[in-house]
Amino acid sequence: METEFRTVEGPVLRMVVVGSGAMGLEWMRAVLASDETELAGVVDTEVKRARWSVIRTRAGEVPVAESLDALLRTPQIGRVDGVVNVTPPDAHFPVTARALGAGLPVLGEKPMAASLEEAEELVVLARDARQLFMVAQSRTYEPHLSSLRAHVRAIGPPAVIVVNFLRDEAFDGFRTEMAHPLLVDMMVHTVDAVRYLTGKQATHVYCEEYGPSWSRYSSGGSATCVFEMDGGGRFVYNGSWSAPGDMTSWDGEWRVSGAHGSALWDGEGPPVRLSPSAPEHVVLPEPSRSGDGIRGVLADFIRALRTGRTPWGECSNNLGTLAMVHAAIDSARTGRRVRVPNPPGLSSVVPDPRRGEHI
């Protein structure tokens, strides 16, 4: 089911950022840097932090408040065209639901919600409000990922996709205390990228979570998952937040193998293809559009609001990503191989994040 949403007119869209932590600052800077947006206000449960974020980003006279409702009641707020939700995962549902209820489109940080049930409800709310709700899967906009997809198409349907994500990160804040931090906060990016590369959904998964003795995380800082993809291929994810030494890139290290060869990507440079008929490394041309992380996501959100064209990360499509993540969580909890659910609101139309095409 593809959500139909209202478009927005006007040369500049006025955006409210909810959440002024480290990522909130980055989103504020992205909104301020764009010629198509301006910062209308900042919300944080700690108003002092919101005020400090305005000072740090040199945003000028921007109103702040402790809640979205309070900000929308502020006399100087003026017109609001959209909301960027950069709160911790547990707050994603109430903030997004309130914004949609106020008739505002939402660009929300991943994951879409803390549970699949909450995510399904948000899809219904967005549909009923006829508002765009887009999830900011920024790493799917990495410039070399479209080149990797071209390699994958050349080698045929993938039989196996293996991704290693191994880093040693001294996070503070909610990540160290949240449940399943690697799966919810990081693997979600890789799952989304696999769906983009293949146009396929997983059917089953087996996952084990663990934590070495030196882990800073209360639970689930490391995990290995084996997904069975539609059509029979396998996607293997091996990740850890507690792997000191020679760390992988933030996008991980990839190997994709099909009937006509393999594609390799180190997560930083251009991918390469290994073929039995051409064993040398073959590098495809650079993608036609460079990725800009969250700025690229913001540009796609604005483009969607102006044209009505469904963007990558639209909520009914992103349900597929969240369904795979939560199936992995269920498997880790039960110690069993589990079926990946097919949420009733999941869109069968998968938009291309770079060209507005469907794959």
Coordinates of all heavy atoms in Angstrom, one line a residue, residues 148-207:
L148 N 27.4 -0.2 -6.4 CA 27.4 -1.6 -6.0 C 26.1 -2.3 -6.5 O 26.2 -3.5 -6.9 CB 27.4 -1.7 -4.4 CG 27.4 -3.1 -3.8 CD1 28.6 -3.9 -4.3 CD2 27.3 -3.0 -2.3
R149 N 25.0 -1.6 -6.5 CA 23.8 -2.2 -7.1 C 23.9 -2.6 -8.6 O 23.5 -3.6 -9.0 CB 22.6 -1.3 -6.9 CG 21.3 -2.0 -7.2 CD 20.1 -1.2 -6.8 NE 19.8 -0.2 -7.9 CZ 18.6 0.4 -8.0 NH1 17.7 0.2 -7.1 NH2 18.4 1.3 -9.0
A150 N 24.7 -1.7 -9.3 CA 24.9 -2.0 -10.7 C 25.8 -3.3 -10.9 O 25.5 -4.1 -11.7 CB 25.6 -0.8 -11.4
H151 N 26.8 -3.4 -10.0 CA 27.5 -4.7 -10.0 C 26.7 -5.9 -9.7 O 26.8 -6.9 -10.3 CB 28.6 -4.6 -8.9 CG 29.8 -3.8 -9.3 ND1 30.6 -4.1 -10.3 CD2 30.4 -2.7 -8.7 CE1 31.6 -3.2 -10.4 NE2 31.5 -2.4 -9.4
V152 N 25.8 -5.7 -8.7 CA 24.9 -6.8 -8.3 C 24.0 -7.3 -9.4 O 23.8 -8.5 -9.6 CB 24.1 -6.4 -7.0 CG1 23.0 -7.5 -6.7 CG2 25.0 -6.3 -5.8
R153 N 23.5 -6.3 -10.1 CA 22.7 -6.6 -11.3 C 23.5 -7.4 -12.3 O 23.0 -8.3 -13.0 CB 22.1 -5.4 -11.9 CG 21.0 -4.8 -11.0 CD 20.5 -3.5 -11.5 NE 19.3 -3.0 -10.9 CZ 18.7 -1.9 -11.1 NH1 19.1 -1.0 -12.0 NH2 17.6 -1.5 -10.4
A154 N 24.8 -7.0 -12.5 CA 25.6 -7.7 -13.5 C 25.9 -9.1 -13.2 O 26.1 -10.0 -14.1 CB 26.9 -6.9 -13.7
I155 N 26.1 -9.4 -11.9 CA 26.5 -10.8 -11.5 C 25.3 -11.7 -11.3 O 25.5 -12.9 -11.1 CB 27.3 -10.8 -10.2 CG1 26.5 -10.3 -9.0 CG2 28.6 -10.0 -10.4 CD1 27.3 -10.4 -7.7
G156 N 24.1 -11.2 -11.5 CA 22.9 -12.0 -11.3 C 22.3 -12.0 -9.9 O 22.9 -11.4 -9.0
P157 N 21.2 -12.7 -9.7 CA 20.6 -12.7 -8.4 C 21.6 -13.2 -7.3 O 22.2 -14.2 -7.5 CB 19.4 -13.7 -8.6 CG 19.1 -13.6 -10.0 CD 20.4 -13.4 -10.7
P158 N 21.7 -12.4 -6.2 CA 22.7 -12.8 -5.2 C 22.4 -14.1 -4.5 O 21.3 -14.4 -4.1 CB 22.7 -11.7 -4.2 CG 22.0 -10.5 -4.9 CD 21.1 -11.1 -5.9
A159 N 23.4 -15.0 -4.5 CA 23.2 -16.2 -3.7 C 23.6 -16.0 -2.2 O 23.1 -16.6 -1.3 CB 24.1 -17.3 -4.3
V160 N 24.6 -15.1 -2.0 CA 25.0 -14.8 -0.7 C 25.5 -13.3 -0.6 O 26.1 -12.8 -1.5 CB 26.1 -15.7 -0.2 CG1 27.3 -15.6 -1.0 CG2 26.4 -15.4 1.3
I161 N 25.0 -12.6 0.4 CA 25.5 -11.3 0.8 C 26.1 -11.3 2.2 O 25.4 -11.7 3.1 CB 24.4 -10.2 0.7 CG1 23.7 -10.2 -0.7 CG2 24.9 -8.8 1.1 CD1 22.5 -9.3 -0.7
V162 N 27.4 -11.0 2.3 CA 28.0 -11.0 3.6 C 28.5 -9.6 4.0 O 29.2 -9.0 3.2 CB 29.2 -12.0 3.7 CG1 29.9 -12.0 5.0 CG2 28.7 -13.4 3.3
V163 N 28.1 -9.1 5.1 CA 28.5 -7.8 5.6 C 29.1 -7.9 7.0 O 28.5 -8.4 7.9 CB 27.3 -6.8 5.6 CG1 27.8 -5.4 6.1 CG2 26.7 -6.7 4.2
N164 N 30.4 -7.5 7.1 CA 31.0 -7.4 8.4 C 31.0 -5.9 8.8 O 31.5 -5.0 8.1 CB 32.5 -7.9 8.3 CG 32.5 -9.4 8.2 OD1 31.8 -10.1 8.9 ND2 33.4 -9.9 7.3
F165 N 30.5 -5.7 10.0 CA 30.6 -4.3 10.6 C 31.2 -4.5 12.0 O 30.6 -5.0 12.9 CB 29.2 -3.8 10.8 CG 29.1 -2.4 11.5 CD1 29.4 -1.3 10.8 CD2 28.9 -2.3 12.8 CE1 29.4 0.0 11.4 CE2 28.9 -1.1 13.5 CZ 29.1 0.0 12.8
L166 N 32.5 -4.0 12.1 CA 33.3 -4.3 13.3 C 33.9 -3.0 13.7 O 34.9 -2.5 13.1 CB 34.3 -5.4 13.0 CG 33.7 -6.7 12.6 CD1 34.8 -7.7 12.1 CD2 32.9 -7.4 13.7
R167 N 33.5 -2.4 14.8 CA 34.0 -1.1 15.3 C 34.0 -1.2 16.8 O 33.4 -2.0 17.5 CB 33.2 0.1 14.8 CG 33.1 0.2 13.3 CD 32.4 1.5 12.9 NE 33.2 2.7 13.4 CZ 34.2 3.2 12.7 NH1 34.6 2.7 11.5 NH2 34.8 4.3 13.1
D168 N 34.8 -0.2 17.4 CA 34.9 -0.1 18.8 C 34.6 1.4 19.1 O 35.4 2.3 18.9 CB 36.3 -0.4 19.3 CG 36.4 -0.4 20.8 OD1 35.5 -0.9 21.5 OD2 37.5 0.0 21.3
E169 N 33.3 1.6 19.6 CA 32.8 3.0 19.7 C 32.5 3.2 21.2 O 31.7 2.5 21.8 CB 31.6 3.2 18.9 CG 31.9 3.1 17.4 CD 32.8 4.1 16.9 OE1 32.9 5.2 17.5 OE2 33.5 3.9 15.9
A170 N 33.0 4.3 21.7 CA 32.7 4.7 23.1 C 31.5 5.7 23.2 O 31.7 6.9 23.6 CB 33.9 5.4 23.7
F171 N 30.4 5.2 22.8 CA 29.2 6.0 22.8 C 28.8 6.3 24.3 O 29.0 5.5 25.2 CB 28.0 5.3 22.2 CG 28.1 5.3 20.7 CD1 28.0 4.0 20.0 CD2 28.2 6.4 19.9 CE1 28.0 4.0 18.7 CE2 28.3 6.3 18.5 CZ 28.2 5.1 17.9
D172 N 28.1 7.5 24.5 CA 27.5 7.7 25.7 C 26.0 7.9 25.4 O 25.6 7.8 24.3 CB 28.1 8.9 26.5 CG 28.1 10.1 25.7 OD1 27.4 10.2 24.6 OD2 28.7 11.1 26.1
G173 N 25.2 8.2 26.4 CA 23.8 8.4 26.2 C 23.0 7.2 26.0 O 23.3 6.1 26.6
F174 N 21.9 7.2 25.3 CA 20.9 6.2 25.3 C 21.4 4.9 24.7 O 20.9 3.8 25.0 CB 19.6 6.6 24.5 CG 19.8 6.8 23.0 CD1 19.5 5.7 22.2 CD2 20.1 8.0 22.5 CE1 19.7 5.9 20.8 CE2 20.3 8.2 21.1 CZ 20.0 7.1 20.3
R175 N 22.4 4.9 23.8 CA 22.8 3.6 23.1 C 23.3 2.6 24.1 O 23.2 1.4 23.9 CB 23.8 3.9 22.0 CG 23.2 4.6 20.8 CD 24.3 4.9 19.8 NE 23.8 5.6 18.6 CZ 23.6 6.9 18.5 NH1 24.0 7.7 19.5 NH2 23.2 7.4 17.4
T176 N 24.1 3.1 25.1 CA 24.7 2.1 26.0 C 23.7 1.4 26.9 O 24.0 0.3 27.4 CB 25.7 2.8 26.9 OG1 25.1 3.9 27.6 CG2 26.9 3.4 26.1
E177 N 22.5 2.0 27.1 CA 21.5 1.4 27.9 C 20.3 0.8 27.2 O 19.6 0.0 27.8 CB 20.9 2.4 28.9 CG 22.0 3.0 29.8 CD 22.6 2.0 30.7 OE1 21.9 1.0 31.1 OE2 23.9 2.1 31.0
M178 N 20.1 1.1 25.9 CA 19.0 0.6 25.2 C 19.1 -0.9 24.9 O 20.2 -1.4 24.9 CB 18.8 1.4 23.9 CG 19.9 1.1 22.8 SD 19.7 2.1 21.3 CE 18.2 1.4 20.6
A179 N 18.0 -1.5 24.7 CA 18.0 -2.9 24.3 C 18.3 -3.1 22.8 O 17.9 -2.3 22.0 CB 16.6 -3.6 24.6
H180 N 19.2 -4.1 22.5 CA 19.5 -4.4 21.1 C 20.1 -3.2 20.3 O 19.6 -2.9 19.2 CB 18.3 -4.9 20.4 CG 17.4 -5.9 21.1 ND1 17.8 -7.1 21.5 CD2 16.2 -5.7 21.7 CE1 16.9 -7.7 22.2 NE2 15.9 -6.9 22.4
P181 N 21.1 -2.5 20.9 CA 21.6 -1.3 20.2 C 22.2 -1.5 18.8 O 22.0 -0.7 17.9 CB 22.6 -0.8 21.2 CG 23.1 -2.0 22.0 CD 21.8 -2.8 22.1
L182 N 22.9 -2.6 18.6 CA 23.5 -2.9 17.3 C 22.4 -3.1 16.3 O 22.4 -2.5 15.2 CB 24.4 -4.1 17.4 CG 25.1 -4.4 16.1 CD1 26.2 -3.3 15.8 CD2 25.7 -5.8 16.1
L183 N 21.4 -4.0 16.6 CA 20.4 -4.3 15.6 C 19.5 -3.1 15.3 O 19.2 -2.8 14.1 CB 19.5 -5.5 16.1 CG 20.3 -6.8 16.5 CD1 19.3 -7.8 17.0 CD2 21.1 -7.3 15.3
V184 N 19.1 -2.4 16.3 CA 18.1 -1.4 16.2 C 18.7 -0.1 15.6 O 18.2 0.6 14.7 CB 17.4 -1.0 17.5 CG1 16.6 0.2 17.4 CG2 16.6 -2.2 18.0
D185 N 20.0 0.2 16.1 CA 20.6 1.5 15.7 C 21.5 1.4 14.6 O 21.8 2.5 13.9 CB 21.3 2.1 17.0 CG 21.6 3.6 16.8 OD1 20.6 4.3 16.5 OD2 22.8 3.9 16.9
M186 N 22.1 0.2 14.2 CA 23.1 0.2 13.2 C 22.7 -0.8 12.1 O 22.8 -0.5 10.9 CB 24.4 -0.2 13.8 CG 25.6 0.2 12.9 SD 25.7 2.0 12.7 CE 26.0 2.1 10.9
M187 N 22.3 -2.1 12.5 CA 22.0 -3.0 11.4 C 20.9 -2.6 10.6 O 20.7 -3.0 9.4 CB 21.7 -4.4 12.0 CG 21.6 -5.5 11.0 SD 21.1 -7.1 11.6 CE 19.4 -6.8 11.9
V188 N 20.0 -1.7 11.1 CA 18.9 -1.2 10.4 C 19.3 -0.6 9.1 O 18.7 -0.6 8.0 CB 18.0 -0.2 11.2 CG1 18.8 1.0 11.7 CG2 16.8 0.2 10.5
H189 N 20.5 0.1 9.1 CA 21.1 0.7 7.9 C 21.4 -0.3 6.9 O 21.1 -0.2 5.7 CB 22.3 1.5 8.2 CG 22.1 2.8 8.9 ND1 21.3 3.8 8.3 CD2 22.5 3.3 10.1 CE1 21.3 4.9 9.1 NE2 22.0 4.6 10.2
T190 N 22.1 -1.4 7.3 CA 22.5 -2.5 6.4 C 21.3 -3.2 5.8 O 21.3 -3.5 4.6 CB 23.5 -3.4 7.1 OG1 24.5 -2.7 7.8 CG2 24.1 -4.4 6.1
V191 N 20.4 -3.5 6.6 CA 19.1 -4.1 6.1 C 18.5 -3.3 5.0 O 18.1 -3.8 4.0 CB 18.2 -4.4 7.3 CG1 16.8 -4.8 6.8 CG2 18.7 -5.5 8.2
D192 N 18.4 -2.0 5.3 CA 17.8 -1.1 4.3 C 18.6 -1.1 3.0 O 18.0 -1.1 1.9 CB 17.7 0.3 4.9 CG 16.6 1.1 4.2 OD1 15.5 0.8 4.2 OD2 17.0 2.2 3.6
A193 N 19.9 -1.1 3.1 CA 20.8 -1.1 1.9 C 20.6 -2.4 1.2 O 20.6 -2.4 -0.1 CB 22.2 -0.9 2.3
V194 N 20.5 -3.6 1.9 CA 20.3 -4.9 1.2 C 18.9 -4.9 0.4 O 18.9 -5.3 -0.7 CB 20.3 -6.0 2.2 CG1 19.8 -7.3 1.6 CG2 21.8 -6.2 2.7
R195 N 17.9 -4.3 1.0 CA 16.6 -4.2 0.3 C 16.7 -3.3 -0.9 O 16.1 -3.6 -2.0 CB 15.5 -3.7 1.3 CG 15.2 -4.6 2.4 CD 14.1 -4.0 3.3 NE 12.9 -3.9 2.6 CZ 12.2 -2.8 2.4 NH1 12.7 -1.6 2.9 NH2 11.1 -2.8 1.8
Y196 N 17.5 -2.2 -0.8 CA 17.7 -1.4 -2.0 C 18.5 -2.1 -3.1 O 18.2 -2.0 -4.2 CB 18.5 -0.1 -1.5 CG 19.1 0.7 -2.6 CD1 18.2 1.3 -3.6 CD2 20.4 0.8 -2.8 CE1 18.8 2.0 -4.6 CE2 21.0 1.5 -3.9 CZ 20.2 2.1 -4.8 OH 20.7 2.8 -5.8
L197 N 19.5 -2.8 -2.7 CA 20.4 -3.5 -3.7 C 19.6 -4.6 -4.4 O 19.8 -4.8 -5.6 CB 21.6 -4.2 -3.0 CG 22.7 -3.3 -2.5 CD1 23.8 -4.1 -1.8 CD2 23.4 -2.5 -3.6
T198 N 18.8 -5.3 -3.7 CA 18.2 -6.5 -4.3 C 16.7 -6.3 -4.7 O 16.2 -7.1 -5.5 CB 18.2 -7.7 -3.3 OG1 17.4 -7.4 -2.1 CG2 19.7 -7.9 -2.8
G199 N 16.0 -5.4 -4.1 CA 14.6 -5.2 -4.3 C 13.8 -6.4 -3.7 O 12.6 -6.6 -4.0
K200 N 14.4 -7.1 -2.7 CA 13.8 -8.3 -2.1 C 13.7 -8.1 -0.6 O 14.4 -7.3 0.0 CB 14.6 -9.5 -2.4 CG 14.6 -9.9 -3.9 CD 15.4 -11.2 -4.1 CE 15.4 -11.6 -5.6 NZ 14.0 -11.9 -6.1
Q201 N 12.8 -8.9 0.0 CA 12.5 -8.9 1.4 C 13.0 -10.3 2.0 O 13.0 -11.3 1.2 CB 11.0 -8.7 1.7 CG 10.6 -8.6 3.1 CD 11.0 -7.2 3.7 OE1 11.4 -6.3 3.0 NE2 10.9 -7.1 5.0
A202 N 13.4 -10.3 3.2 CA 13.7 -11.6 3.9 C 12.5 -12.3 4.2 O 11.4 -11.7 4.5 CB 14.6 -11.3 5.1
T203 N 12.6 -13.6 4.3 CA 11.5 -14.5 4.7 C 11.7 -15.1 6.1 O 10.7 -15.3 6.8 CB 11.3 -15.6 3.7 OG1 12.5 -16.4 3.6 CG2 10.9 -15.1 2.3
H204 N 13.0 -15.4 6.4 CA 13.3 -16.0 7.7 C 14.6 -15.4 8.2 O 15.4 -14.9 7.4 CB 13.4 -17.5 7.7 CG 12.1 -18.2 7.3 ND1 11.7 -18.3 6.0 CD2 11.2 -18.8 8.1 CE1 10.5 -18.9 6.0 NE2 10.2 -19.3 7.2
V205 N 14.9 -15.5 9.5 CA 16.1 -15.1 10.1 C 16.5 -15.9 11.3 O 15.6 -16.3 12.1 CB 16.1 -13.6 10.4 CG1 15.1 -13.3 11.5 CG2 17.5 -13.1 10.9
Y206 N 17.8 -16.2 11.5 CA 18.3 -16.7 12.8 C 19.4 -15.7 13.2 O 20.3 -15.3 12.5 CB 18.9 -18.1 12.6 CG 19.6 -18.6 13.9 CD1 18.8 -19.0 15.0 CD2 21.0 -18.6 14.0 CE1 19.4 -19.4 16.1 CE2 21.6 -19.0 15.2 CZ 20.7 -19.4 16.2 OH 21.3 -19.9 17.4
C207 N 19.3 -15.3 14.5 CA 20.2 -14.3 15.0 C 20.7 -14.6 16.4 O 19.9 -15.1 17.3 CB 19.5 -12.9 15.0 SG 20.5 -11.6 15.7

